[in-house]
Amino acid sequence: MNAEPERKFGVVVVGVGRAGSVRIRDLRNPHASSAFLNLIGFVSRRELGNIEEVQQISLEDALSSQEVDVAYICSESSSHEDYIRQFLNAGKHVLVEYPMTLSWAAAQDLWKLAEEKGKVLHEEHVELLMEEFAFLKKEVVGKDLLKGSLLFTASPLEEERFGFPAFSGISRLTWLVSLFGELSLVSATLEERKEDQYMKMTVCLETENKRPLTWIEEKGPGLKRNRHLSFHFKSGSLENMPNVGVNKNIFLKDQNIFVQKLLGQFSEKELAAEQKRILHCLWLAEEIQKYCSSKK
């Protein structure tokens, strides 16, 4: 990525919430990967005019413009599938914030479409670029897990916009799968008090070696964003996360990975392994949703 680019990929950012705003900032600042990208404008359902000299353009113009090669989909999760499909059909590469879809079958279908169109479809996973994850990866390597748990607490999220908790919380599932391999679902429960905006999802998972992992998502007013973890190994235990430093530029690191894909710098084997992991997590999320729905 150090070479001087022969051409720049024109980019539109769809959705200008927290993630979209960070994407615009990274695209406008001089970075190694930004040198290959040219920010054309942003798309929003709201009439915003310009943001920091970046112009708002219509979705129709973004899809039809010859200047636009790439779409960053940073809108709410429920709209991802439709936007990805439209941009791929228009012959654009796509970077999408996780989860790429709220359905396993839709994700498979979109990857097939990307392949047919010869375009890059990249699902962001900044949680794998965090200092905490790098620490955990080093801690668990070569150790024999006996049991583990991961609890995540946060303020409420609207399910209509962000999907069932197993989808909106898929970054936690991605941590567990990336640390311990493919998992199977044993059981799941969802406790909800809609009048209090409270929910607690408890998922019992199992590794391929039949070791139990419990994943809990708890959301409600006043709950602070926090992760509590406990992993027990034959050789000792890891209880909660030490302070491992500040996560710097994780969205920019993700953009670097995306640009490497645009430049063909990832092997087929690496891309296939990533796709397999993403689809496995989406499949698990859907199985959890089905299990909880069947218990209602």
Side-chain angles (χ1 to χ4, degrees):
M1 236 183 359
N2 297 329
E4 195 62 35
E6 286 175 29
R7 64 176 289 268
K8 292 190 175 197
F9 295 88
V11 183
V12 290
V13 175
V14 181
V16 285
R18 189 180 70 86
S21 301
V22 172
R23 294 295 188 183
I24 287 173
R25 182 199 69 199
D26 287 345
L27 283 159
R28 294 187 75 229
N29 287 338
H31 301 294
S33 57
S34 305
F36 291 84
L37 304 165
N38 176 33
L39 179 56
I40 305 291
F42 70 89
V43 174
S44 176
R45 288 191 312 247
R46 294 171 290 162
E47 284 296 327
L48 298 170
N50 288 0
I51 296 177
E52 295 181 14
E53 298 167 24
V54 182
Q55 63 171 351
Q56 181 167 0
I57 59 175
S58 70
L59 176 61
E60 293 70 28
D61 286 350
L63 289 164
S64 62
S65 171
Q66 296 298 304
E67 279 191 312
V68 174
D69 307 292
V70 170
Y72 282 15
I73 311 297
C74 309
S75 54
E76 52 209 29
S77 308
S78 57
S79 65
H80 288 180
E81 181 187 341
D82 187 41
Y83 279 134
I84 296 169
R85 199 177 298 281
Q86 287 190 70
F87 278 101
L88 286 176
N89 277 322
K92 318 293 186 191
H93 302 283
V94 174
L95 174 153
V96 61
E97 310 299 347
Y98 72 76
M100 62 188 280
T101 62
L102 300 177
S103 136
W104 174 67
Q108 283 190 304
D109 189 35
L110 290 172
W111 247 309
K112 199 172 151 198
L113 178 61
E115 212 171 295
E116 284 167 10
K117 298 283 183 183
K119 296 297 164 190
V120 172
L121 172 54
H122 169 81
E123 184 187 49
E124 162 269 306
H125 276 285
V126 292
E127 76 279 11
L128 299 180
L129 305 172
M130 290 177 165
E131 297 296 332
E132 294 94 329
F133 181 74
F135 168 82
L136 285 177
K137 197 82 176 150
K138 278 186 201 153
E139 280 293 308
V140 308
V141 73
K143 290 183 181 171
D144 193 352
L145 179 76
L146 297 174
K147 64 176 182 176
S149 66
L150 174 57
L151 160 67
F152 180 76
T153 60
S155 53
L157 269 186
E158 287 176 54
E159 193 173 319
E160 295 74 28
R161 296 170 63 204
F162 298 100
F164 185 78
F167 282 99
S168 59
I170 208 161
S171 63
R172 266 74 69 192
L173 194 51
T174 304
W175 262 25
L176 293 175
V177 168
S178 300
L179 291 170
F180 303 111
E182 293 200 347
L183 304 171
S184 53
L185 175 63
V186 177
S187 66
T189 57
L190 180 67
E191 179 194 339
E192 280 185 297
R193 293 197 305 275
K194 288 198 169 165
E195 67 281 8
D196 299 329
Q197 290 184 284
Y198 175 84
M199 81 87 206
K200 184 178 184 182
M201 179 184 74
T202 305
V203 181
C204 298
L205 300 157
E206 216 171 48
T207 67
E208 287 177 334
N209 295 334
K210 304 289 181 196
R211 302 300 194 196
L213 281 169
T214 305
W215 169 34
I216 299 168
E217 292 276 308
E218 188 175 18
K219 291 183 179 156
L223 284 177
K224 287 203 171 102
R225 193 178 172 84
N226 222 328
R227 267 188 224 92
H228 307 272
L229 54 86
S230 170
F231 297 133
H232 295 270
F233 306 97
K234 278 187 179 169
S235 57
S237 298
L238 176 64
E239 297 278 354
N240 285 319
M241 182 76 70
N243 188 348
V244 290
V246 181
N247 291 306
K248 284 185 187 164
N249 299 326
I250 49 177
F251 283 91
L252 179 59
K253 287 173 186 171
D254 177 71
Q255 177 175 282
N256 294 345
I257 293 167
F258 176 61
V259 168
Q260 286 175 301
K261 288 180 183 178
L262 289 177
L263 299 174
Q265 294 173 355
F266 269 71
S267 70
E268 289 298 319
K269 192 179 171 187
E270 287 171 307
L271 293 170
E274 183 187 55
Q275 188 173 327
K276 187 170 183 254
R277 186 205 74 227
I278 289 170
L279 286 171
H280 176 66
C281 291
L282 288 168
W283 174 78
L284 268 177
E286 195 165 281
E287 289 299 298
I288 293 163
Q289 184 173 7
K290 283 180 194 166
Y291 198 100
C292 289
S293 300
S294 72
K295 298 292 169 193
K296 276 189 176 176

